[in-house]
């Protein structure tokens, strides 16, 4: 029997920025037993925890829109900051993740050309070379932060090289990406000058993307930006404006989610039976380890959708305009995703996770991301076989939900 949303108690205290920051899944599992769809006032959204319900929403682009799929600031931003946040990509410009059909279909078809299996395979040696170079930079340091010394620079250099971004701009791209997170995640009193600094940073990000596109229009190179402008499937390519809109998203998603996944994979495997030694000796398969890391704590724990019409999700009637948070990470802990849903257990059947989404917005770089993660693990298993967690308190997660990012991960070389 279905239930009208107005009949429900809207008092679920889900707080992924505070009380549930490090482990949102215990709370979600408990609530999901009786309320697989519940309202979270702090997020202003209906949280969907059941895999089948998420898939139904993701397959239904007539009733659910992706246009507002990012987190929203929890407080009103100053008018000038809000304007820059809306226009830094260009007037009314939306990246592919925020587009609905038919616009989404056309842009997606062009973007797919850059992530075919053949192109991914051709780029794997570059991934391995970047990982090897970073290991050599770390050298024989007894202890280091895996996140800042390896995961982040590796992910940033990989996507930067694939796109064709000059190395001297990579650190600025990382800063601009962090500034975007800060603006999307504003939750309380914040220094207004600091917000304006972040917003101006995004304006610089947009200008940088446009200048890069103009260079590739006149001087194509062996990189993804040139491919999108000159080598589209069946002669279809992106316009300069369309490519400029996509570049920040490819940088942002391409390095942040990979770095976050590496942090989770290594942290959990260090604590699992067999530890890192199990990866080094081959008893834990690299591909199985990657899939389990993606299932157990997805780097993107969820994505928002908006109901275009009155809908029923699970057994809950929701009016048009309702905002939903599809909690991919919670689906990964459900019984359909693993033989051991509550435990980190590579090889236990975790390939059915939703870490890359589902349907028309399934991550177009999923194959690239898998190759990137596997390449890093293989290089580290060969070059740093004695890695262990450093003594001290366990790492915490940053308050950037639905991203799942460790603040640091101190490791030692044996």
């Amino acid at each position: 029997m279905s239930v009208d949303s107005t009949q429900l108690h809207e008092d679920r205290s889900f707080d992924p920025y505070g009380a549930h920051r490090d482990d949102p899944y215990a709370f979600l599992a408990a609530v999901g037993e009786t309320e697989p769809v519940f309202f979270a006032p702090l997020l202003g959204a209906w949280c969907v925890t059941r895999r089948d319900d998420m898939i139904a929403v993701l397959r239904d682009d007539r009733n659910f829109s992706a246009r507002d799929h990012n987190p929203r600031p929890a407080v009103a931003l100053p008018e000038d900051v809000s304007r820059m946040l809306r226009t830094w990509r260009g007037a009314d410009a939306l990246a592919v993740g925020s587009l609905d059909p038919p616009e989404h279909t056309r842009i997606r078809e062009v973007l797919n050309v850059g992530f075919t299996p053949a192109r991914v395979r051709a780029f794997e040696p570059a991934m391995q070379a970047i990982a090897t170079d970073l290991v050599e930079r770390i050298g024989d340091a007894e202890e280091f932060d895996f996140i800042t010394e390896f995961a982040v620079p590796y992910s940033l250099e990989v996507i930067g090289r694939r796109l064709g971004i000059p190395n001297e701009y990579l650190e600025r791209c990382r800063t601009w990406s962090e500034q975007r997170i800060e603006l999307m995640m504003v939750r309380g009193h914040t220094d207004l000058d600091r917000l304006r600094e972040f917003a101006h940073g995004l304006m610089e990000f947009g200008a940088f993307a446009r200048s890069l596109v103009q260079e590739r229009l006149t001087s194509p190179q062996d990189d993804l930006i040139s491919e999108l402008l000159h080598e589209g499937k069946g002669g279809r390519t992106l316009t300069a404006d369309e490519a400029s809109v996509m570049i920040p998203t490819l940088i942002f998603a391409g390095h942040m989610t990979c770095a976050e996944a590496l942090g989770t994979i290594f942290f959990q495997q260090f604590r699992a039976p067999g530890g890192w030694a199990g990866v080094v000796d081959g008893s834990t398969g690299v591909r199985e380890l990657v899939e389990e890391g993606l299932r157990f704590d997805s780097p993107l724990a969820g994505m928002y959708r908006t109901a275009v019409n009155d809908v029923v999700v699970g057994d809950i009637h929701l009016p048009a305009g309702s905002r939903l948070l599809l909690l991919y990470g919670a689906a990964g802990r459900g019984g359909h995703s693993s033989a051991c849903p509550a435990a980190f257990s590579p090889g236990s059947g975790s390939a059915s996770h939703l870490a890359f989404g589902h349907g028309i917005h399934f991550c177009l770089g999923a194959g690239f991301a898998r190759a990137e993660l596997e390449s890093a693990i293989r290089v580290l298993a060969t070059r740093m076989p004695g890695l262990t967690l450093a003594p001290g308190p366990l790492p915490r997660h940053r308050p950037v939900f639905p991203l799942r990012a460790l603040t640091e991960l101190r490791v030692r070389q044996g």
Side-chain angles (χ1 to χ4, degrees), residues 3-16:
V3 180
D4 193 292
S5 63
T6 59
Q7 301 172 4
L8 298 176
H9 295 293
E10 300 184 359
D11 59 357
R12 284 297 182 190
S13 55
F14 179 44
D15 182 6

Side-chain angles (χ1 to χ4, degrees), residues 342-384:
F344 185 82
S345 180
S348 61
S350 52
S352 60
H353 59 71
L354 294 180
F356 294 117
H358 187 82
I360 64 169
H361 284 281
F362 181 81
C363 176
L364 61 91
F368 187 87
R370 284 182 162 113
E372 185 176 5
L373 293 168
E374 291 176 16
S375 294
I377 294 167
R378 290 192 174 98
V379 168
L380 286 161
T382 300
R383 302 296 292 270
M384 290 184 166

